[in-house]
């Protein structure tokens, strides 16, 4: 099947294989999502540096900042430069929603690490997501609290942003599905500095576990306040905590016993390929990678493999991405028929001694089926 | 009942600590407003810059083997930021001083964005933890627990606020600054160096911002975009306190922080925010000039 698809891709290709393929990298490297966007960019660039032998490919990074219109302008600018077989697209959900109609019109695959669940549920065949959707990530988030920790009265503190509200919806759904009760749920603005009031009320609700679904800085603030208040109930945070830059804000003792969901935890190592990725990333960028970097690295690697096998048009690339499997560094990727390529989520926990977490649980096969 | 009262007192203490930091931002905001008549929308970004300056200074001193941290770092950060304030006035105010105030306002917005993106490029978008003023950990005062950081913020805000009030009210510089702010034409005619005095007020406002940056960077972290939230709070504080009033700015800042802490503690942070804006509307309706209206002749 793989050979057949790639042969088809080669036949459909209209540009000579020897000609450099353009792979624009449209990512938010400025604005409030620039931490995650920089990781996304670095992952794509590292993959490009390690492009398969014989494949000539050029990548141009265009900043999309955080406004949807910026992303649209960036894509139009990229298309003005000539034909492109695919695009590394921004991880910001609202930007992806703005790009999707253009992708359909231009027959252009968008490879993203956005978690916004609705992206792949709109019937647009040009979207390929290499990061677990919110639907899958929050399923693991809740399952860990309920199944592994045996907690059934959950308190949720989430961000009032689109990211936070989307995740909160899926947490509520998953909690209900797993027989747990959400005894406390509150949205918090990103500008809030004092988490003591909300944490005290969460405790007063009778919750036996605390779930956090916050951006990086607020996650660190909340975890610090949990430690300062001496709260003893288990805390399971969102993927922001797995980012080395977030953990670096906290003392190891403040992180003790805190867990988080993520697509992967590159700094935790665990396999020769992961160790090699870690080494290469550190050498290239002088920083530790996070799961967004690794997911975009894996997604771009798969894309490059498809290009190396001759695909040169959007349609050819789309067909290959939709039909192929890819053994990435973080996990095995394959489309569920809707462009969701990632179906595994890990839970990692901090031991109070180092800022490098240990992966304690892995959930595979999440979101592999058609969304309900 | 006793537990309830203790809980309330604890929330009040937390609110006072946060309010002290907001008050310093608002004081810097009022200073420029009084000196130039223009709103400095970059005051929050200057706080952000102060946080990064504190981190950089701490790092350099550490590399140089100089063990200087805590309160000793504070004057250094304020001095460095005063220099940044002079540069800021040269870029955001001086070229537009003879234009309508909207030019100056837009210039501060633009420079604030430049600062944000410059720090984004230089230091990255990840939140950074800065040096702490008085160490970490909690102190018990009777039944209350308060972090050392919070106590440091309150103490520093009190000292800096009083020093500013003394500087403006009881020194030659303060008197001249107020005179030039009230009537720059007459002040010039009387031979006062109005431009230099206004540049001085920018330096002072930036020094205040530097102090807040240092105070907040340890417990609350620094990010390139952190100034956006702070300037919004400063603007609200000054609006409900009374434009141009130092006393009003402090009162407004404390009110905001108490909403964030006490009201949020008994309702939710979203409800507290909604209630705060409700109070803002009420104040504007009942006392359009703010809680502490400042007579024009006494401004600055």
């Amino acid at each position: 099947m793989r050979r057949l698809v790639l042969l088809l891709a080669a036949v459909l290709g209209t540009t000579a294989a020897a000609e450099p393929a353009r792979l624009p990298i449209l990512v938010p490297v400025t604005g409030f999502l620039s931490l995650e966007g920089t990781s996304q960019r670095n992952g794509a660039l590292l993959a490009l540096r390690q492009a398969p032998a014989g494949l000539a490919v050029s990548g141009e990074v265009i900043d999309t900042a955080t406004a949807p219109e910026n992303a649209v302008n960036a894509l139009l600018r990229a298309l003005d430069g000539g034909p492109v077989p695919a695009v590394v697209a921004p991880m910001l959900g609202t930007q992806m929603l703005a790009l999707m109609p253009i992708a359909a019109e231009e027959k252009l695959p968008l490879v993203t690490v956005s978690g916004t669940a609705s992206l792949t549920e709109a019937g647009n065949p040009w979207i390929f997501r290499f990061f677990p959707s919110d639907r899958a990530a929050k399923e693991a988030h809740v399952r860990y609290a309920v199944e592994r920790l045996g907690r059934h009265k959950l308190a949720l503190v989430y961000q009032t942003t689109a990211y936070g509200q989307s995740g909160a919806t899926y947490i509520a759904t998953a909690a209900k599905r797993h027989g747990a009760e959400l005894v406390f749920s509150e949205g918090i603005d990103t500008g809030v500095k004092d988490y003591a009031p909300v944490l005290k009320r969460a405790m007063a609700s009778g919750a036996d576990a605390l779930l956090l679904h916050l951006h990086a800085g607020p996650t660190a603030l909340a975890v610090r306040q949990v430690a300062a208040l001496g709260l003893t109930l288990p805390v399971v945070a969102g993927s922001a905590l797995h980012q080395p830059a977030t953990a670096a804000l906290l003392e190891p003792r403040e992180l003790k016993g805190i867990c988080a969901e993520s697509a992967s935890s590159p700094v935790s190592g665990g396999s020769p390929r992961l160790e090699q990725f870690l080494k290469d990333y550190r050498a290239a960028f002088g920083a530790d990678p996070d799961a967004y970097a690794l997911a975009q690295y894996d997604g771009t690697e798969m894309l490059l493999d498809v290009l190396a096998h001759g695909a040169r048009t959007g349609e050819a690339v789309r067909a290959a991405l939709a039909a192929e499997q890819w053994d990435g560094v973080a996990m095995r990727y394959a489309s569920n028929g809707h462009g969701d390529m990632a179906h595994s989520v890990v839970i990692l926990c901090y031991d109070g001694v180092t800022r490098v977490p240990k992966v304690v649980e892995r959930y595979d096969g999440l979101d592999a089926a058609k969304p309900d | 009942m006793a537990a309830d009262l203790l809980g309330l007192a604890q929330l009040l203490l937390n609110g006072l600590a946060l309010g002290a930091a907001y008050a310093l931002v608002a004081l810097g905001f009022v200073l420029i407003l009084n000196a130039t008549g223009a709103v400095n929308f970059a005051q929050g970004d200057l706080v952000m810059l102060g946080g990064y300056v504190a981190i950089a200074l701490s790092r350099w001193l550490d590399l140089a083997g100089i063990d200087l941290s805590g309160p000793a770092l504070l004057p250094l950060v304020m001095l460095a930021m005063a220099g940044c304030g002079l540069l800021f006035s040269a870029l955001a105010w001086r070229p537009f001083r003879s234009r309508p105030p909207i030019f100056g306002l837009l210039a501060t917005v633009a420079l604030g964005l430049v600062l944000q993106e410059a720090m984004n490029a230089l230091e990255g978008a990840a939140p950074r933890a800065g040096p702490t003023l008085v160490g970490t950990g909690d102190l018990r005062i009777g039944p209350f627990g308060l972090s050392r950081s919070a106590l440091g913020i309150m103490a520093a805000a009190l000292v800096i606020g009083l020093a500013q009030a003394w500087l403006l009210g009881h020194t030659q510089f303060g008197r001249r600054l107020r005179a030039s702010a009230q009537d720059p034409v007459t002040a010039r005619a009387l031979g006062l160096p109005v431009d230099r005095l206004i540049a001085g007020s920018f330096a002072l406002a930036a020094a205040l911002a530097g102090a807040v940056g240092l105070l907040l960077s340890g417990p609350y972290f620094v990010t390139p975009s952190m100034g956006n939230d702070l300037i919004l709070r400063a603007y609200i504080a000054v609006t409900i306190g009374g434009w141009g009033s130092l006393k009003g700015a402090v009162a407004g800042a404390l009110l905001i922080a108490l909403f964030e802490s006490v009201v949020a503690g008994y309702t939710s942070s979203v409800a507290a925010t909604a209630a705060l804006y409700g109070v803002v509307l009420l104040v504007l309706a009942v006392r359009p000039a703010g809680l502490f209206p400042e007579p024009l002749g006494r401004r600055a």
Side-chain angles (χ1 to χ4, degrees), chain B residues 14 21 29 48 54 60 102 146 295:
Chain B
N14 288 354
F29 190 84
M48 173 273 293
W60 293 336
I102 186 71
L146 200 62

Side-chain angles (χ1 to χ4, degrees), chain A residues 76-350:
Chain A
L76 294 178
R77 181 177 141 195
L79 293 176
D80 278 348
V84 293
V87 163
V88 171
M91 63 189 304
L92 189 58
T94 49
Q95 292 192 326
M96 284 299 296
L97 289 169
L99 296 184
M100 283 165 62
I102 304 174
E105 193 180 322
E106 298 287 336
K107 299 187 185 306
L108 183 67
L110 304 181
V111 174
T112 182
V113 292
S114 176
T116 305
S118 61
L119 296 182
T120 51
E121 296 171 7
N124 188 322
W126 302 95
I127 311 302
F128 294 91
R129 182 217 308 274
F130 282 79
F131 199 81
S133 77
D134 288 344
R135 184 185 293 274
K138 297 299 109 179
E139 168 74 9
H141 199 156
V142 170
R143 274 179 65 180
Y144 182 74
V146 176
E147 294 176 355
R148 177 80 179 260
L149 302 178
R151 309 294 167 138
H152 290 85
K153 290 184 175 180
L154 310 177
L156 168 64
V157 179
Y158 62 95
Q159 216 82 76
T160 50
T161 58
Y163 159 80
Q165 296 193 34
S166 166
T169 304
Y170 290 108
I171 283 176
T173 308
K176 197 172 177 184
R177 190 164 53 242
H178 293 286
E181 188 185 355
L182 214 52
V183 295
F184 178 86
S185 176
E186 186 171 317
I188 295 285
D189 184 79
T190 50
V192 168
K193 300 282 182 213
D194 186 6
Y195 277 73
V198 67
L199 291 176
K200 285 193 168 184
R201 278 185 294 105
M203 294 310 98
S205 70
D208 56 11
L210 175 64
L211 307 186
L212 301 175
H213 181 62
L214 305 164
H215 294 294
T219 296
L221 272 180
V223 169
R224 171 167 285 178
Q225 291 276 337
V226 165
L229 292 170
L231 303 183
T232 53
L233 80 176
V235 177
V236 187
S239 58
L241 186 59
H242 92 281
Q243 292 178 271
T246 307
L249 296 170
L250 299 158
E251 295 298 322
R253 63 177 168 75
E254 293 174 310
L255 285 162
K256 187 175 184 181
I258 307 283
C259 300
E261 56 83 9
S262 173
S264 65
S265 176
V267 291
S268 301
S271 73
R273 287 181 72 193
L274 204 46
E275 300 289 354
Q276 186 61 47
F277 168 76
L278 196 56
K279 189 176 161 191
D280 293 343
Y281 190 95
R282 283 173 173 161
F285 305 109
D288 280 340
D290 58 23
Y292 308 118
L294 179 50
Q296 192 60 68
Y297 174 83
D298 279 346
T300 310
E301 285 263 283
M302 182 177 184
L303 193 52
L304 292 172
D305 183 68
V306 168
L307 293 174
H309 283 85
R312 281 296 182 274
T313 66
E315 178 54 46
V317 170
R318 191 207 63 77
L321 290 177
E324 290 300 308
Q325 291 192 357
W326 180 253
D327 282 317
V329 178
M331 65 185 82
R332 168 169 282 200
Y333 300 91
S335 176
N336 63 348
H338 299 270
D340 288 312
M341 309 293 283
H343 315 291
S344 298
V345 175
V346 297
I347 300 292
L348 48 94
C349 296
Y350 294 86

Side-chain angles (χ1 to χ4, degrees), chain B residues 13-15 28 43 51 68 111 123-125 137 168 171 213 217-218 247 264 273 289 296 299:
Chain B
L13 276 175
N14 288 354
Q43 187 68 19
L68 194 61
L111 262 180
E123 292 288 326
L168 292 176
T171 67
S217 66
K247 192 167 50 178
T273 304
L296 190 62
R299 285 179 60 167

Side-chain angles (χ1 to χ4, degrees), chain A residues 29-36 38 160 184 186-194 196-198 200-201 216-218 220-221 224-225 227-229 245-246 248-250 253, chain B residues 7 10-11 14-15 18 22 117 120 124-129 136-138 216 218-221 223 225-226 229-230 233 260-270 273:
Chain A
V29 290
T30 57
F32 72 84
L33 209 68
S34 51
L35 171 61
E36 293 87 345
T38 300
T160 50
F184 178 86
E186 186 171 317
I188 295 285
D189 184 79
T190 50
V192 168
K193 300 282 182 213
D194 186 6
V198 67
K200 285 193 168 184
R201 278 185 294 105
L221 272 180
R224 171 167 285 178
Q225 291 276 337
L229 292 170
T246 307
L249 296 170
L250 299 158
R253 63 177 168 75
Chain B
Q10 183 72 63
L11 291 173
N14 288 354
L18 207 53
Y22 293 164
E117 295 308 342
N120 205 354
R128 299 281 301 275
T136 57
D138 291 341
L216 294 184
Y220 299 117
F221 316 131
T223 62
S225 60
M226 71 181 280
D229 291 322
L230 290 172
R233 284 168 173 79
E260 285 185 4
S261 183
V262 180
V263 180
Y266 286 95
T267 56
S268 72
S269 70
V270 174
T273 304

Side-chain angles (χ1 to χ4, degrees), chain B residues 199-228:
Chain B
S201 68
F202 270 97
L204 193 54
L208 282 175
V212 186
L214 169 60
L215 295 172
L216 294 184
S217 66
Y220 299 117
F221 316 131
V222 185
T223 62
S225 60
M226 71 181 280
N228 298 336

